[in-house]
Amino acid sequence: MNQPSLSGFNLLTKPGGAVCNLDCSYCYYLEKEKLYGNTRNFQMSDETLEVFTRKYIHEQPGPEVTFVWQGGEPTLAGIDFFRKALSLQKKYGSGKVIHNSFQTNGVLLTGEWCSFFKDNNFLIGISIDGPEEIHDAYRINKGGTGTFAKVLQAIALLQKHGVEFNTLTVVNNLNAKRPLEVYNFLKQIGSRYIQFIPVVERISVNCSSTDLALVLPETKQEAVLTPWSVPALEFGKFLIAVFNEWVKNDVGKYFIQTFDAALANEAGIPAGVCVFNERCGNALAIEHNGDIYSCDHFVYPEYKIGNIHSGSLKKTILQPQQQKFGNDKYDRLPEVCKRCDVYHYCRGECPKNRFMRTSTGEDGLNYLCEGYKMFFRHARPYVEFMAGELRNNRPPANVMYHRINQSAGNRTASQ
């Protein structure tokens, strides 16, 4: 039997754990503080930061390393923490090219932060769900007040300082009904790189105040879908509406992660995002104290696989438990999914959403299945055309002219 090998991997780093200055209704990570019930200081220590930096750089197999800073809210760690992080990256760099990515709600960004990001080539992700009424429905601060105005100020600051940024939009039960309003707003504020993340969570019906309320897909507890979760078919319709506008006017000008992943899978190259890959397990999470979990969405005791202070990071990631976690993305997928005509696009999406049953009674069907089937079947002719253009060394943006000519031909034929 061949020994598993280590390809590139990411550790999504939580320098302040789950601590956040916001109280977003749909956040799946806020309650992770319960895993460290006796902890009063969630700040990653200098010792843990140094051990993590050294091992993460030295044990990456390739010439490039990307540090991904998340939360909670990473700005709460303070700008001096990240100055320290950069100093350690330089100390242990070993000639490798090092990148830094930083996901933030933007509320605490200042000119100082933005100058720091610009000077050190940070890529910033900003969370924003659409225009004010849509954004403020769920993205509120600890006092229950909407955060839209502060996020717009943060985006203006990033633009003023020339900081590269993308936007992350959580698609929920409200904004899913207003796809073009959301998409046009994101373009209006200057976002050229757009992620649409569907929120799907289930909450335990009977849990104590010390238990995690959001449940794993395999739970035996009684659980119900949260009210903010996006309905599957509405998510499919949302993607179709945005795709139709994008494929008509915006290919090559705006980059939408789900559409880019579909094109990559059609072209036979890596999708660039774990949920649309056949297997996963290379995007892990590291908590403030160095605890390592199988995935950012599986920060539960059952999926804790080690600690950065204990032994080799490579051995931690290659242990059978983590290898099984990554392989289960394909191995535990229902047979009907593997035979599906759009499987090569969706790859079963994220395992965290696989809590439904198929019509034949198999466990592990993705909650969003019907929505994804609707979207990928709609998008397939255009994606196939774009992949053909790529293979012939022509720009995929040609699809916009192909679509216009196709529409004109259909109108002529119907006259």
Side-chain angles (χ1 to χ4, degrees), residues 144-392:
T145 303
T147 59
F148 178 80
K150 286 189 175 295
V151 178
L152 276 196
Q153 288 173 14
I155 290 172
L157 270 176
L158 290 169
Q159 291 169 325
K160 177 183 175 182
H161 288 80
V163 179
E164 185 179 355
F165 74 95
N166 58 45
T167 53
L168 187 156
T169 296
V170 174
V171 183
N172 54 65
N173 65 313
L174 300 179
N175 61 2
K177 297 178 174 68
R178 299 158 72 173
L180 291 184
E181 189 176 348
V182 171
Y183 179 47
N184 289 329
F185 168 79
L186 293 173
K187 292 195 291 183
Q188 177 190 328
I189 63 172
S191 176
R192 294 184 61 241
Y193 299 89
I194 297 168
Q195 296 180 63
F196 291 122
I197 307 297
V199 61
V200 178
E201 300 289 356
R202 290 186 303 158
I203 193 165
S204 173
V205 172
N206 299 302
C207 68
S208 73
S209 59
T210 58
D211 292 333
L212 295 178
L214 299 175
V215 299
L216 287 162
E218 66 267 26
T219 186
K220 302 302 181 186
Q221 301 176 48
E222 184 181 359
V224 295
L225 202 66
T226 57
W228 47 80
S229 292
V230 61
L233 288 177
E234 282 194 13
F235 183 57
K237 292 174 184 175
F238 176 94
L239 291 176
I240 287 172
V242 174
F243 183 84
N244 285 346
E245 178 66 19
W246 177 78
V247 83
K248 180 181 177 182
N249 297 309
D250 294 336
V251 181
K253 293 182 282 188
Y254 295 91
F255 300 87
I256 299 171
Q257 188 182 62
T258 303
F259 305 164
D260 289 346
L263 176 57
N265 276 329
E266 181 63 40
I269 58 181
V273 55
C274 55
V275 297
F276 297 122
N277 285 334
E278 188 165 81
R279 301 179 191 273
C280 62
N282 285 341
L284 303 93
I286 180 167
E287 259 286 347
H288 69 287
N289 67 340
D291 284 346
I292 300 171
Y293 293 86
S294 292
C295 168
D296 181 49
H297 286 282
F298 284 79
V299 177
Y300 291 85
E302 301 94 314
Y303 289 92
K304 178 183 166 185
I305 62 169
N307 186 284
I308 197 70
H309 292 282
S310 302
S312 162
L313 182 55
K314 180 177 179 179
K315 286 182 179 177
T316 299
I317 295 171
L318 290 179
Q319 65 181 282
Q321 178 184 348
Q322 183 63 10
Q323 293 298 298
K324 183 178 185 302
F325 174 83
N327 288 329
D328 277 352
K329 188 175 191 296
Y330 176 81
D331 295 345
R332 297 185 64 183
L333 195 64
E335 287 302 315
V336 67
C337 296
K338 295 175 182 177
R339 297 193 302 269
C340 178
D341 61 304
V342 294
Y343 167 72
H344 69 290
Y345 294 130
C346 89
R347 309 289 192 188
E349 209 247 1
C350 185
K352 83 177 185 66
N353 296 330
R354 296 182 186 174
F355 52 83
M356 305 290 285
R357 283 188 175 176
T358 68
S359 58
T360 57
E362 283 186 274
D363 288 327
L365 180 67
N366 196 300
Y367 164 83
L368 293 168
C369 174
E370 291 303 314
Y372 275 122
K373 283 197 292 190
M374 176 191 292
F375 165 66
F376 285 123
R377 286 169 180 167
H378 173 83
R380 178 164 49 197
Y382 306 105
V383 173
E384 289 175 343
F385 178 88
M386 288 189 284
E389 294 299 276
L390 274 178
R391 283 190 288 271
N392 287 286

Side-chain angles (χ1 to χ4, degrees), residues 80-109:
D80 286 341
F81 174 88
F82 292 98
R83 290 192 176 108
K84 239 178 272 171
L86 290 178
S87 175
L88 290 168
Q89 290 172 14
K90 185 175 181 180
K91 177 179 178 180
Y92 294 110
S94 302
K96 294 187 177 183
V97 177
I98 297 177
H99 308 281
N100 284 276
S101 175
F102 193 100
Q103 183 67 40
T104 176
N105 58 47
V107 170
L108 297 177
L109 291 190

